Amino acid sequence: MNNVNSGTYGQILVIHSRSDIALAMKTTHRIAMLTEFSDHESILLQLVTEEACMNAFEHGCPSGTCEFRISWLVESDIMEIRVCQNGGSFELSNEPTQPVKIGSRGRGLVLIQGIMDEVRLIPTGPYITLSMRKKRKV
Amino acid sequence: MENILKDQVQLLNWNTDVTLKNVDEFRGAIEKLVEGEKTKLILELTKVAYLNSAALGVIADAVLGAGRAGKELIIVGVQSTVGEIFEIVHFSALMKIFTALEEGYAYFTGELK
């Protein structure tokens, strides 16, 4: 599906370990550059990638062994990143920025919801998919 | 990392992005900063474009821990992406944040509120 000229780009990566998250972040950066997202947007999309993958590890891999899928789809000026994992559902806040968190944890989903234009959970059988979409700024 | 001591202020100039790969090193450096003898502490992030949520947690913990110890930790040199990240998590409600290092020193000398 990789056809940058037509404005469509897609890729899938299976994550097995924490070290694979760095590869996912690099993939986000490469796709963002290919599809003309700005450096600023690319950095924030990499952050979303890291946080979504870490969230998948923390909620879907209690035993430490893990396998989940991250996919990218860019159509026109919108990048969608999806992280699909087995079980381990979690909640998205309707008011992600309130109240101010003062502890050391719990900011990952706040960041994702603050950076992306649209974030939703899609349950499908035993799987839960975190879908995150961001429109490229002109 | 550069750790510069001045008369009243201890400065930690952290000069690389913080990801899952080096967040433990970042945590150690921040803990060392807060555990020092100085009561006025500055974390400079001029060369940092990326902080993950774990790094934000380290900073929040350090700011609160410093306050409990009668110290103050402020952040300086915040660039555009880090500034946007800080805005999303409302860090300005928890700590003083300045764009330039000089503003941090001015804050501690009382020249800037």
Side-chain angles (χ1 to χ4, degrees), chain A residues 74-132:
Chain A
V74 181
E75 288 183 302
S76 184
D77 57 355
I78 295 176
M79 179 184 292
E80 179 178 23
I81 302 173
R82 287 187 170 210
V83 173
C84 179
Q85 65 187 90
N86 193 348
S89 187
F90 48 91
E91 291 185 359
L92 294 174
S93 170
N94 292 326
E95 294 288 342
T97 60
Q98 297 293 337
V100 176
K101 293 183 183 297
I102 60 172
S104 61
R105 295 173 59 84
R107 293 185 179 83
L109 288 173
V110 173
L111 287 171
I112 290 170
Q113 291 181 276
I115 290 168
M116 303 303 272
D117 299 321
E118 180 186 331
V119 181
R120 59 198 176 107
L121 285 171
I122 307 168
T124 310
Y127 299 99
I128 185 86
T129 298
L130 178 62
S131 168
M132 304 161 287

Side-chain angles (χ1 to χ4, degrees), chain A residues 19-115:
Chain A
S19 59
D20 290 336
I21 295 175
L23 176 59
M25 293 165 66
K26 286 180 183 175
T27 302
T28 295
H29 173 67
R30 184 173 53 79
I31 293 173
M33 293 295 97
L34 274 172
T35 53
E36 300 182 340
F37 282 79
S38 69
D39 289 340
H40 181 92
E41 290 169 318
S42 171
I43 291 169
L44 295 175
L45 288 165
Q46 288 175 77
L47 179 56
V48 163
T49 303
E50 179 178 352
E51 299 299 339
C53 290
M54 288 304 295
N55 184 71
F57 259 103
E58 291 176 1
H59 291 92
C61 311
S63 64
T65 56
C66 194
E67 182 176 291
F68 61 89
R69 188 182 68 206
I70 179 169
S71 61
W72 297 260
L73 178 63
V74 181
E75 288 183 302
S76 184
D77 57 355
I78 295 176
M79 179 184 292
E80 179 178 23
I81 302 173
R82 287 187 170 210
V83 173
C84 179
Q85 65 187 90
N86 193 348
S89 187
F90 48 91
E91 291 185 359
L92 294 174
S93 170
N94 292 326
E95 294 288 342
T97 60
Q98 297 293 337
V100 176
K101 293 183 183 297
I102 60 172
S104 61
R105 295 173 59 84
R107 293 185 179 83
L109 288 173
V110 173
L111 287 171
I112 290 170
Q113 291 181 276
I115 290 168

Side-chain angles (χ1 to χ4, degrees), chain B:
Chain B
M1 290 299 142
E2 189 180 14
N3 216 343
I4 304 166
L5 285 172
K6 290 200 171 185
D7 290 347
Q8 300 293 316
V9 178
Q10 186 160 359
L11 168 68
L12 171 62
N13 181 6
W14 185 266
N15 58 20
T16 190
D17 294 344
V18 184
T19 71
L20 74 168
K21 285 183 172 180
N22 64 348
V23 69
D24 289 336
E25 183 187 352
F26 180 67
R27 180 179 293 107
I30 296 287
E31 286 174 354
K32 189 175 176 183
L33 174 70
V34 174
E35 289 167 2
E37 293 181 357
K38 305 292 183 185
T39 58
K40 298 178 173 67
L41 313 172
I42 298 178
L43 172 61
E44 183 179 7
L45 299 173
T46 303
K47 296 178 180 174
V48 178
Y50 184 107
L51 292 168
N52 66 10
S53 66
L56 297 177
V58 169
I59 293 172
D61 274 352
V63 167
L64 295 174
R68 285 193 294 268
K71 304 177 180 181
E72 183 172 11
L73 171 61
I74 66 171
I75 314 298
V76 305
V78 173
Q79 305 302 304
S80 67
T81 48
V82 172
E84 185 168 341
I85 291 166
F86 280 7
E87 276 185 31
I88 291 169
V89 296
H90 291 276
F91 259 18
S92 60
L94 298 179
M95 63 197 78
K96 289 287 184 182
I97 301 168
F98 300 100
T99 306
L101 175 59
E102 293 72 22
E103 292 175 320
Y105 283 120
Y107 169 74
F108 277 139
T109 58
E111 297 169 32
L112 197 64
K113 295 295 181 186

